[in-house]
Amino acid sequence: MRSADEYLAGLRDGREVYYRGERVEDVVAHAELGLAAQHGTLDFHGPGPEPSPYYTLPRSPVDLRARSALIEESTRRGRTLVVLIKEIGTDALFALHRVTHGTGAYKRVAAYYEHCRDGDLALAVAQTDVKGDRAKTPAAQDDPDLYLRIVHRDDDGIVVRGAKMHTSYAANADELIVIPTRSLAPGEEDWAVAFALPVATPGLKLFCSDFLHGTDDAFTHPISSGRKMIETLTVFDDVFVPWERVFLAGDVEAAGRIALGFVEYHRMTAVSYKLPLLDALVGLGFALAEANGIARASHVREKLTWLIAYVESVRALIHAACDRAGIDQASGLAYPDPLLTNIAKWTFARDYYPAVERVIDLGGGLLVTGLGGADWTSEQVRPYMEKYFAAAAPAEERLALINLASDLLARGYAGYQGVLAVHAEGSLEAEKMMVFRAYDSGPAAAYARELAGLD
Amino acid sequence: MRSADEYLAGLRDGREVYYRGERVEDVVAHAELGLAAQHGTLDFHGPGPEPSPYYTLPRSPVDLRARSALIEESTRRGRTLVVLIKEIGTDALFALHRVTHGTGAYKRVAAYYEHCRDGDLALAVAQTDVKGDRAKTPAAQDDPDLYLRIVHRDDDGIVVRGAKMHTSYAANADELIVIPTRSLAPGEEDWAVAFALPVATPGLKLFCSDFLHGTDDAFTHPISSGRKMIETLTVFDDVFVPWERVFLAGDVEAAGRIALGFVEYHRMTAVSYKLPLLDALVGLGFALAEANGIARASHVREKLTWLIAYVESVRALIHAACDRAGIDQASGLAYPDPLLTNIAKWTFARDYYPAVERVIDLGGGLLVTGLGGADWTSEQVRPYMEKYFAAAAPAEERLALINLASDLLARGYAGYQGVLAVHAEGSLEAEKMMVFRAYDSGPAAAYARELAGLD
Amino acid sequence: MRSADEYLAGLRDGREVYYRGERVEDVVAHAELGLAAQHGTLDFHGPGPEPSPYYTLPRSPVDLRARSALIEESTRRGRTLVVLIKEIGTDALFALHRVTHGTGAYKRVAAYYEHCRDGDLALAVAQTDVKGDRAKTPAAQDDPDLYLRIVHRDDDGIVVRGAKMHTSYAANADELIVIPTRSLAPGEEDWAVAFALPVATPGLKLFCSDFLHGTDDAFTHPISSGRKMIETLTVFDDVFVPWERVFLAGDVEAAGRIALGFVEYHRMTAVSYKLPLLDALVGLGFALAEANGIARASHVREKLTWLIAYVESVRALIHAACDRAGIDQASGLAYPDPLLTNIAKWTFARDYYPAVERVIDLGGGLLVTGLGGADWTSEQVRPYMEKYFAAAAPAEERLALINLASDLLARGYAGYQGVLAVHAEGSLEAEKMMVFRAYDSGPAAAYARELAGLD
Amino acid sequence: MRSADEYLAGLRDGREVYYRGERVEDVVAHAELGLAAQHGTLDFHGPGPEPSPYYTLPRSPVDLRARSALIEESTRRGRTLVVLIKEIGTDALFALHRVTHGTGAYKRVAAYYEHCRDGDLALAVAQTDVKGDRAKTPAAQDDPDLYLRIVHRDDDGIVVRGAKMHTSYAANADELIVIPTRSLAPGEEDWAVAFALPVATPGLKLFCSDFLHGTDDAFTHPISSGRKMIETLTVFDDVFVPWERVFLAGDVEAAGRIALGFVEYHRMTAVSYKLPLLDALVGLGFALAEANGIARASHVREKLTWLIAYVESVRALIHAACDRAGIDQASGLAYPDPLLTNIAKWTFARDYYPAVERVIDLGGGLLVTGLGGADWTSEQVRPYMEKYFAAAAPAEERLALINLASDLLARGYAGYQGVLAVHAEGSLEAEKMMVFRAYDSGPAAAYARELAGLD
């Protein structure tokens, strides 16, 4: 395992990163991107000889539970923001292991996995293509580059062109793993491509979202002033990939299985890392109710009860998904039960906004009408804040809770988490589709027919 | 274990049972009550030397999972109707074991438990008092008998007066176990009473509900024409109970713990026995969609997906409740995690009607406008039914499914299951209250405060 | 207007009606069908010279509001069961007026309308075909008769074959109006058929559903023991229709417009006649809460508040649909705003089961475990009922409310109303589709684009 | 009516306003507050002799509908942000008219109303006290100033101390109207106070929230970069109010009526001004679905249909509340039906987050991972944005919609609107309480009892 400093040092490598229209020379020193890099250090516990536990290939339900707990704990230390810098990459590596097992690509996957594990590398995954018109397949788009594709092949490797979006943390990762976003059909061989590259590869350009820019008032933004996850539009301007790093190039049938295999692991990761955020919502609900003096109101209890059941259902469901793990016969890898994983993810996602609304209800209107850090430090204003924002707790304590609520529920970070709940790691519709597919309706339908006197 | 016949023979003992205003001489031979007795035979698998597995005292998560599976399977064989004739009684005995452990009553409980186990007796539990005005405590009611109470004590035993309602299957049980319905306060000693009696005890009168009377058309009532659970208003007209069968008499503090301890086990039982009904709903949804030719419609998939997630969430949650069992230090008995048990039960209950509505949606209006068994057997009518009720399946098959749906979702048995979902084994409000109480808000609140920079 | 007796006398005309597999000679004297006929008398207020107000052709919002109030009031007098014997038929006649206006059929429609109005006839409408495999169009069914069709045309008229289902009250109507169930495509001319006939026409056979059979205990079935709506499978065994009663025969384009035009009026009718049922639910909720002594509990208030908002929203929306009536330029007929009508209907339908569940919650488990009329009249049982079912109201009063709740929410009539809520007068999906279609997205989309700085 | 310039000129009067800890000398010239002032000009259409229509005292349903339309239209011109600068103040004046009618205060209210109307003044209303511990009454707070109170009375007037929060637009209003926040009890006379003052009154201090600070990138914040509503903590540091501007001073019984009377009008205002925001959500849903190429997907139609029904239900309900206006006998003022007004408001509020979630679903993850205005104007970045963010619409058009969605649904303005939906103009709980209170359960309960055979 590397140390945090080793990790940070590795990011200064000439990578082509842009923020707010300008090239960033040093992502560690940059005011905004540096926060993301610092956040990434939470996954580095070295220096030491043993590999990072994120790289452990899961072979049993117990391994999956351990992995889930690891992800939950690192996110808890990340103050509700997932660290992700090893989580997502190993999700992809596990999927590549399973899908390529028994094919020629397996050796390359295994070698690359060892390279990353032994180097304790930070990994980003680029999966979601920009997609163009969603009603059209990759080959039918007006611009063939709207799904990443192979534009050249020769003995040394392939050249790819296109772009991926929603890529998290690529600007502060060592490596970028690229996998397909969807199943493909014959005739779409050029779009069936998976590979890995160092982030500092010529032609690879990262355009960073500034969505959470300017959240620097730690008084009103206790989380987002210090924690950043940066997404990029990740452009491949005719980027060369040597064959040893190519894991898929043309096998349309395998493309969908990689996409799906990744998702199977990654949704388990996702639900695991949502748990600290959900715990924070419940805990905040209790703390706000106390501070506001409403803890004994029946509607408050009703809301807290709903929150408890929501959070603990999500937790129990993802644990159950681990406990009912399937074991892939070929590779020996364990994977979380797809039905329960998707039910857990859907349960999380569909009740996230209702949960937000309830905590807002407990918090009060001050979440958006309160005063800021400059007021709190002003001698002219602070005395009034101390006097008039006191409730069942002193103003300082109560405002700290209200500001946490404002950050988590009403400002940019709130919107960020909300949109991620709806879209990230699979949309609500994608989760529902997988629940439907993962369910074997045979036994239940047979039981119904038996009850009906049929068969 | 006794055989089914031994069980049935034991029910002919002069018990005082009334149905539709008249004394029933033989509950086995009676047209309606006999169906309930026959249903009870599903829990008898002897004759044989080993005790019934229902009587196994749970000492580990594995024991609880086995018990849950046993209850689920017997209900499945009972065609969605719980058998209950040993399930509920052992729930009560487990609770009595735990609460009386270390007290003088423990010996009597243990002896009674062995008596039931060794005799393989059929048990009913009378818990819910008739309660009178819900806004008043037992002692404050206009009529003190509205909660069952002790009206006399002497050296031989106690005399009790009052009534319990919602007592399931008492008419075809051997023994009746009586426990308090709620926590009590000092001054309510006379209402703190728990005991057990043979059903055929002088002064014990069972007035049977006829709610499912007349569901004898097997064509339109494929389940309820053959399956009955009968509830009674169970009246204690100054009934004498010898001390050896008295488990509680005056300890108001223990009363609430018995009520709650029973509920802890019984909600696990309840969720376990709901699973076949829920499986039937999902399976019926699939089968109806096929038979009606709508299986490919997107709204149909949406509804089926919702049903799948509902059922499998309930199943996963109750399994998780078993897996996270607590172990009572004193008695060594395992009990399902109260938080997850109540979340499972609440999840079942709050989404039961939405589930019903969805399957009705898939079934169509024929659930309430269709023709009956007399039409199907009529030469004048059947040809029209065969011709005009054919769809993507032949009429005979499709009508069998529609009639199953009608029985499960739109007729008396449907209402019975629906009202039980809302009220039985604890109302929605009771489940919510237990979720709130069982949750330790400390860690989550501490995490929120940590995030807010407090403490 | 005719008198009730004149109406009943007219039903003794040799019509071919079957119940439970047997021919019914006299629908008025029949134990079950007679209740439906008696219910129909609520729409007869004569004898007198003026026509029934149901026949008033609506020409303004005020006319529609008057019609809505008329339907609501007659249903209220019908104890939550719609009378329908003139409501639905005039809905169809209004639609036929509008669609045929300007065509040759208009004269026949107008003449038939006058015939019905002047004779104050009772009308049933047969719309829903049996449909066979829902995934196939009428012409693509294995059996072409699964949608009613023209099998012969000559100078005198047409001959039709097939069946309609879900036909309400045809057994006690004078006339049967037949209209298409859906839009049709070229090639489906034989299925494009609308006409009217006396019920007692050769070849027309009515097979009655016995769904609510045997609800004769007035103690536990205070509504359904006296009120019946009977649906039929309505078979046309090569029935001849003279041209003067044919309103559509081959115009596939007009078929859909008739189907839709009827639905526009009929959904307004439907929402109007649901209001007494909804009022009964709210009122029952209040009355049960009082009788049980729980009226001051906060969760009870929460549920009652939800019920109030539900019922009054439905009422306000259907009134608004009348107030925003469109006026058909050609015929001069007013029609309720389709967007609001369908929103009102959908609001009613989607929250019906949640409403049911809430009132069940307020009522308690006795809805399905209570004792019956034979118990209440038994000297041996009644004293115990009086003693033990008393609460914040005497037992007699409380049981009357609980039995009303049981009838409305848990027995066959409850299932009947529930399934109708989901399917009758258009399913939930049909209502949603119409909301989507009736909405002009232009202004809202233009506003969004303006806000986005586009256009 | 004054002109916009006259209005702005009037705001330069030495008022004591603070923003981010510093005194603001000129609220019109200030970068952030100036946007709020500019927004306020939308309510000024002069110069001209006739009074502003906001000041029209409503005397009929037609007047209320006109007022609702006026508010809706000005908000539409305000790009979803309410102007409010006359709306809320007149709500308060109408309530004061009604409550003081027949008392000595009426003359002062009338004179003040004429003063405002004739001067076409901009009005803010301070109602919500800071409240301290919500579990305690005003008099029981540790600090008696946590509800605004009278600390001195003499012949000239009163002196008040305390603070109000959530005061909208006070920094750019001419006058501040102060009314009680709740009903009061005997012994709380000092807190029963209502009055009005020019904003530039000695001792009156406005501390502005900076919640929407820094939303200056018009590319990603198309609404909030130009539109501001600023709330203040409004402190009364022993402020003197002359008797002629005192409307309530000690009458605890009238305090609650003023609070409630204001709310009756103000909730109608609130629902009216939410309509453009809701229209924007629906329209944006349609536009995003088109631009993303998903308009034909069934789940998209489902979501759009839900949105349509939501928005049009809210609109129809508030219109119905106007149409069913009550007329206050004493003052002759019309007021919207309280039951329907609160149902409309609750319907808006409880489904607001579900609506937000649906539009986010249609918009995609780019709402929070997209690039910003600096990228769009960068020659190095924009070509990639144009290439890779094209879909079924060109990138420029699609990004404009996505950025609008981001501003409305995922950034600070989104949280602002979301929290207001839950809390402003009465919380969800307050609305439910009023629905319960405004409903006369008598007729429905009587109907239920009649159906039950009682009475």
Side-chain angles (χ1 to χ4, degrees), chain A residues 254-322:
Chain A
R257 285 192 292 128
I258 293 174
L260 211 59
F262 167 68
V263 156
E264 266 181 23
Y265 287 107
H266 194 48
R267 289 195 185 150
M268 185 195 105
T269 292
V271 179
S272 302
Y273 83 63
K274 298 298 188 190
L275 296 175
L277 176 61
L278 300 192
D279 284 340
L281 293 188
V282 182
L284 188 51
F286 274 91
L288 285 166
E290 285 294 334
N292 286 334
I294 57 174
R296 291 177 178 285
S298 61
H299 76 90
V300 171
R301 285 197 162 209
E302 169 85 20
K303 283 157 194 157
L304 292 171
T305 300
W306 186 94
L307 287 164
I308 293 166
Y310 166 53
V311 176
E312 296 304 321
S313 291
V314 173
R315 176 171 275 121
L317 288 167
I318 199 62
H319 286 181
C322 294

Side-chain angles (χ1 to χ4, degrees), chain D residues 3-35:
Chain D
S3 70
D5 285 346
E6 288 172 308
Y7 157 64
L8 293 175
L11 300 178
R12 294 173 166 127
D13 56 4
R15 54 189 59 204
E16 190 172 351
V17 173
Y18 296 82
Y19 186 81
R20 293 204 144 198
E22 297 189 355
R23 179 75 184 267
V24 176
E25 291 307 320
D26 181 340
V27 297
V28 177
H30 187 270
E32 302 276 338
L33 303 192
L35 289 172

Side-chain angles (χ1 to χ4, degrees), chain A residues 174-405:
Chain A
D174 300 303
E175 291 277 323
L176 183 68
I177 301 172
V178 180
I179 57 174
T181 204
R182 52 171 286 171
S183 59
L184 296 167
E188 301 182 315
E189 284 74 13
D190 287 345
W191 290 273
V193 62
F195 57 88
L197 285 174
V199 170
T201 292
L204 182 55
K205 297 166 200 262
L206 307 182
F207 299 104
C208 297
S209 173
D210 69 340
F211 183 80
L212 284 175
H213 188 84
T215 56
D216 51 348
D217 179 354
F219 182 72
T220 50
H221 300 70
I223 304 295
S224 63
S225 59
R227 303 284 150 181
K228 297 271 171 181
M229 175 154 73
I230 302 280
E231 271 80 22
T232 52
L233 174 70
T234 308
V235 173
F236 300 80
D237 247 4
D238 290 0
V239 172
F240 169 74
V241 189
W243 280 116
E244 68 184 50
R245 289 293 162 87
V246 176
F247 310 132
L248 178 80
D251 182 347
V252 292
E253 189 272 329
R257 285 192 292 128
I258 293 174
L260 211 59
F262 167 68
V263 156
E264 266 181 23
Y265 287 107
H266 194 48
R267 289 195 185 150
M268 185 195 105
T269 292
V271 179
S272 302
Y273 83 63
K274 298 298 188 190
L275 296 175
L277 176 61
L278 300 192
D279 284 340
L281 293 188
V282 182
L284 188 51
F286 274 91
L288 285 166
E290 285 294 334
N292 286 334
I294 57 174
R296 291 177 178 285
S298 61
H299 76 90
V300 171
R301 285 197 162 209
E302 169 85 20
K303 283 157 194 157
L304 292 171
T305 300
W306 186 94
L307 287 164
I308 293 166
Y310 166 53
V311 176
E312 296 304 321
S313 291
V314 173
R315 176 171 275 121
L317 288 167
I318 199 62
H319 286 181
C322 294
D323 293 348
R324 290 196 208 162
I327 305 292
D328 179 52
Q329 297 300 31
S331 65
L333 290 198
Y335 56 92
D337 180 67
L339 177 64
L340 287 178
T341 301
N342 280 281
I343 290 176
K345 181 70 164 54
W346 187 33
T347 300
F348 158 72
R350 70 178 174 179
D351 278 345
Y352 185 73
Y353 270 105
V356 163
E357 191 211 271
R358 278 170 176 83
V359 186
I360 287 174
D361 194 305
L362 301 175
L366 275 180
L367 272 63
V368 298
T369 67
L371 303 183
D375 297 297
W376 187 247
T377 56
S378 157
E379 286 180 19
Q380 285 178 295
V381 186
R382 182 164 174 163
Y384 292 106
M385 294 174 75
E386 291 184 327
K387 177 176 174 70
Y388 288 121
F389 292 138
E396 180 158 13
E397 181 176 335
R398 181 169 166 244
L399 289 177
L401 293 168
I402 285 173
N403 285 332
L404 175 61

Side-chain angles (χ1 to χ4, degrees), chain A residues 40-261:
Chain A
T41 65
L42 289 176
D43 267 359
F44 290 89
H45 301 285
E50 70 284 15
S52 167
Y54 287 109
Y55 281 101
T56 304
L57 292 167
R59 299 192 179 278
S60 68
V62 170
D63 286 352
L64 291 172
R65 283 290 285 270
R67 182 173 170 84
S68 176
L70 179 69
I71 294 167
E72 180 178 351
E73 179 53 27
S74 70
T75 309
R76 189 174 308 278
R77 293 175 56 235
R79 294 169 65 77
T80 73
L81 187 67
V82 63
V83 183
L84 206 70
I85 208 70
K86 293 182 186 167
E87 291 87 328
I88 190 172
T90 47
D91 286 337
L93 290 173
F94 299 161
L96 287 166
H97 264 87
R98 284 184 54 193
V99 176
T100 63
H101 202 272
T103 77
Y106 180 72
K107 204 171 160 182
R108 296 195 292 278
V109 167
Y112 180 68
Y113 160 74
E114 286 167 20
H115 168 71
C116 295
R117 181 195 62 195
D118 297 347
D120 198 24
L121 298 183
L123 311 173
V125 172
Q127 178 180 39
T128 311
D129 290 283
V130 295
K131 293 183 185 169
D133 185 340
R134 272 73 178 155
K136 296 178 179 170
T137 58
Q141 298 290 334
D142 293 342
D143 179 348
D145 302 341
L146 291 175
Y147 284 76
L148 182 72
R149 65 184 179 119
I150 302 168
V151 292
H152 179 78
R153 298 163 188 251
D154 62 25
D155 289 353
D156 297 326
I158 60 175
V159 174
V160 296
R161 185 189 302 155
K164 298 274 186 175
M165 62 179 175
H166 308 331
T167 321
S168 296
Y169 285 130
N172 56 297
D174 300 303
E175 291 277 323
L176 183 68
I177 301 172
V178 180
I179 57 174
T181 204
R182 52 171 286 171
S183 59
L184 296 167
E188 301 182 315
E189 284 74 13
D190 287 345
W191 290 273
V193 62
F195 57 88
L197 285 174
V199 170
T201 292
L204 182 55
K205 297 166 200 262
L206 307 182
F207 299 104
C208 297
S209 173
D210 69 340
F211 183 80
L212 284 175
H213 188 84
T215 56
D216 51 348
D217 179 354
F219 182 72
T220 50
H221 300 70
I223 304 295
S224 63
S225 59
R227 303 284 150 181
K228 297 271 171 181
M229 175 154 73
I230 302 280
E231 271 80 22
T232 52
L233 174 70
T234 308
V235 173
F236 300 80
D237 247 4
D238 290 0
V239 172
F240 169 74
V241 189
W243 280 116
E244 68 184 50
R245 289 293 162 87
V246 176
F247 310 132
L248 178 80
D251 182 347
V252 292
E253 189 272 329
R257 285 192 292 128
I258 293 174
L260 211 59

Side-chain angles (χ1 to χ4, degrees), chain C residues 339 342-343 431-439, chain D residues 305 308-309:
Chain C
L339 178 64
N342 280 280
I343 290 175
E431 287 147 16
K432 285 192 274 183
M433 192 179 67
M434 286 307 302
V435 167
F436 187 80
R437 285 191 191 167
Y439 181 72
Chain D
T305 300
I308 293 165

Side-chain angles (χ1 to χ4, degrees), chain D residues 66-383:
Chain D
R67 180 171 172 86
S68 177
L70 178 69
I71 294 167
E72 179 177 352
E73 179 54 26
S74 71
T75 309
R76 189 175 307 279
R77 293 176 55 236
R79 295 169 64 77
T80 72
L81 187 67
V82 64
V83 182
L84 206 69
I85 208 70
K86 293 182 187 165
E87 290 89 327
I88 191 172
T90 47
D91 285 338
L93 289 173
F94 300 162
L96 287 165
H97 264 87
R98 282 184 57 196
V99 176
T100 62
H101 201 273
T103 76
Y106 181 72
K107 201 171 165 182
R108 296 194 291 278
V109 167
Y112 180 68
Y113 160 75
E114 284 165 22
H115 167 72
C116 296
R117 182 194 63 197
D118 297 346
D120 197 24
L121 298 183
L123 311 174
V125 172
Q127 178 180 38
T128 310
D129 290 282
V130 294
K131 292 183 187 169
D133 184 341
R134 273 71 176 157
K136 295 176 178 169
T137 57
Q141 299 289 335
D142 292 343
D143 179 347
D145 302 341
L146 292 174
Y147 285 77
L148 182 71
R149 66 184 178 118
I150 303 168
V151 292
H152 179 79
R153 299 164 187 248
D154 62 24
D155 289 354
D156 298 325
I158 60 175
V159 175
V160 295
R161 185 189 303 156
K164 299 273 187 175
M165 60 179 177
H166 308 331
T167 321
S168 296
Y169 285 131
N172 54 296
D174 299 305
E175 290 278 325
L176 183 68
I177 301 173
V178 180
I179 57 174
T181 204
R182 51 173 286 171
S183 59
L184 296 167
E188 300 182 316
E189 284 74 14
D190 287 345
W191 292 272
V193 61
F195 56 89
L197 284 174
V199 171
T201 292
L204 182 55
K205 298 165 198 262
L206 307 181
F207 300 104
C208 297
S209 174
D210 70 339
F211 183 80
L212 285 174
H213 187 83
T215 57
D216 51 348
D217 180 354
F219 182 71
T220 49
H221 300 71
I223 304 296
S224 63
S225 59
R227 302 285 150 182
K228 298 272 173 184
M229 174 155 72
I230 302 280
E231 272 80 20
T232 52
L233 174 70
T234 310
V235 172
F236 300 80
D237 248 4
D238 290 359
V239 173
F240 170 74
V241 190
W243 281 115
E244 71 185 48
R245 290 292 161 87
V246 175
F247 311 134
L248 177 81
D251 182 346
V252 292
E253 189 273 328
R257 285 194 290 129
I258 293 174
L260 211 60
F262 167 67
V263 156
E264 266 180 25
Y265 287 107
H266 194 47
R267 289 196 183 147
M268 186 195 104
T269 292
V271 179
S272 303
Y273 84 63
K274 297 300 186 188
L275 296 175
L277 176 62
L278 300 192
D279 284 340
L281 293 187
V282 182
L284 187 52
F286 274 91
L288 285 166
E290 284 296 334
N292 286 333
I294 56 173
R296 292 178 178 283
S298 62
H299 76 90
V300 171
R301 285 198 163 208
E302 168 85 19
K303 283 158 193 154
L304 291 171
T305 300
W306 186 94
L307 286 164
I308 293 165
Y310 166 53
V311 177
E312 297 303 323
S313 292
V314 173
R315 176 171 275 119
L317 289 167
I318 198 62
H319 287 183
C322 294
D323 294 349
R324 288 198 209 159
I327 305 292
D328 180 53
Q329 297 300 31
S331 65
L333 291 197
Y335 55 91
D337 180 67
L339 177 63
L340 286 177
T341 300
N342 280 282
I343 290 175
K345 180 71 165 52
W346 188 33
T347 300
F348 158 72
R350 71 177 175 179
D351 278 344
Y352 184 74
Y353 270 103
V356 163
E357 193 212 88
R358 279 170 176 83
V359 186
I360 286 174
D361 195 305
L362 302 174
L366 275 181
L367 271 65
V368 298
T369 68
L371 303 183
D375 298 296
W376 187 248
T377 55
S378 158
E379 286 180 19
Q380 284 178 293
V381 185
R382 181 164 174 163

